[in-house]
Amino acid sequence: MLRKIDWESQIGRRLKLRDLHVFSTVVQRGSMAKAAQHLGVSQPAVSEVIADLEHALGVRLLDRSAQGIEPTIYGGALLKRSVAVFDELKQGIRDIEFLSDPTVGEVRVACMESLWYTLLPEIILRFSAQHPNVEVHADLTGASREFPGLRERKYDCMLQRVPASFRQEPAIDDLNVELLSDDTVVVAAGADSRWARRRKIDLAELIGEPWIFGAADTWQRALVEEIFHARGLSLPRPSVTTMSIILRARLLAAGPYLAMFVSSVVRQLIADHYAVTALPVDLPANPFSTRIVTLKNRTLSPVVERFLACVREAVKSFEHRPKTRQSSPRRSPRDDR
């Protein structure tokens, strides 16, 4: 049975942040020698820090083998908490910087592609107008349910647009999820497509057309398949498989392809830059949600809170923005079927 560790005598007076930093570096680098080289100290100095940590805690933190060094279950527990410790310290430094000069700081955000091209530019423009010296770090990411970058404290927040089915995912105790708005899915085609001349289209009529879908293991493909099945139809075999919005838009504008998009993407991005239009296809209910995801037990800096306020403002402005006016292709009586 593991003996109880006395904080005051074993840890409080002996453990230093530098020790945790050395330990974390050893795990990241996979060896004492590589960690020592990275830290600019001798290998014996690194070994001594690890030995002192293991002695103070009374457990082995690292397993050593020919393949390198791996944390034990005890080392993994310490490493997980160390990430949070250093993150909170960094957050404290950022708070101090903001309090001493509210005009500077940084925000780190991850965003899905559909929001990357539509909502995120509006957010950054609004935020930068108010805080011109704050640096925004933006990364493109997918719709992962694991949120690795967020849990590793790489990002302050993540912006997602996901199917409503994601709302039914199991409760995640360590995350805050704030729903901002709902959207729907539409079928899109090139403005010169023969389908663009129709006033009403049944989804079954489009089975034999060349479709562009996301990869088989993505939520986008699962949602499209759900829409076809709701109409009693099998999913057509795709002619092109890609998650890229821009590639899909360019192929639609130049060729005979069809694809499904969130309606706001067609309205706010594609129709303004590509000859693409939404088709009058009656689809079953397929709501999408735009949401902010943050870590629950992590205090956000004031500058990040202000960034999130801009996110909410931008979402509201998009909801009230009039739809882009598109020139309608000429119709003949035979087209109005």
Side-chain angles (χ1 to χ4, degrees), residues 101-168:
D101 185 355
T103 65
V104 300
E106 67 174 11
V107 176
R108 295 168 297 171
V109 57
C111 185
M112 289 178 58
E113 190 187 23
S114 62
L115 295 171
W116 180 272
Y117 289 112
T118 54
L119 186 62
L120 187 60
E122 177 73 16
I123 295 169
I124 294 176
L125 288 171
R126 284 172 176 266
F127 182 75
S128 297
Q130 300 172 20
H131 307 282
N133 295 322
V134 174
E135 186 174 356
V136 177
H137 299 268
D139 286 344
L140 190 61
T141 187
S144 170
R145 299 187 188 206
E146 300 301 323
F147 307 96
L150 197 61
R151 289 193 166 109
E152 295 165 3
R153 272 74 172 179
K154 181 180 179 182
Y155 305 119
D156 297 306
C157 62
M158 298 184 75
L159 305 181
Q160 290 189 322
R161 181 179 276 146
V162 295
S165 58
F166 270 42
R167 293 182 181 180
Q168 298 157 6

Side-chain angles (χ1 to χ4, degrees), residues 189-191 212 242 244-257 259 261 269-270 273-276:
I212 305 173
T242 179
S244 170
I245 288 177
I246 299 303
L247 178 57
R248 280 183 281 166
R250 294 193 65 176
L251 289 174
L252 291 184
Y257 299 101
F261 287 99
L269 168 70
I270 297 176
H273 300 280
Y274 302 93
V276 171

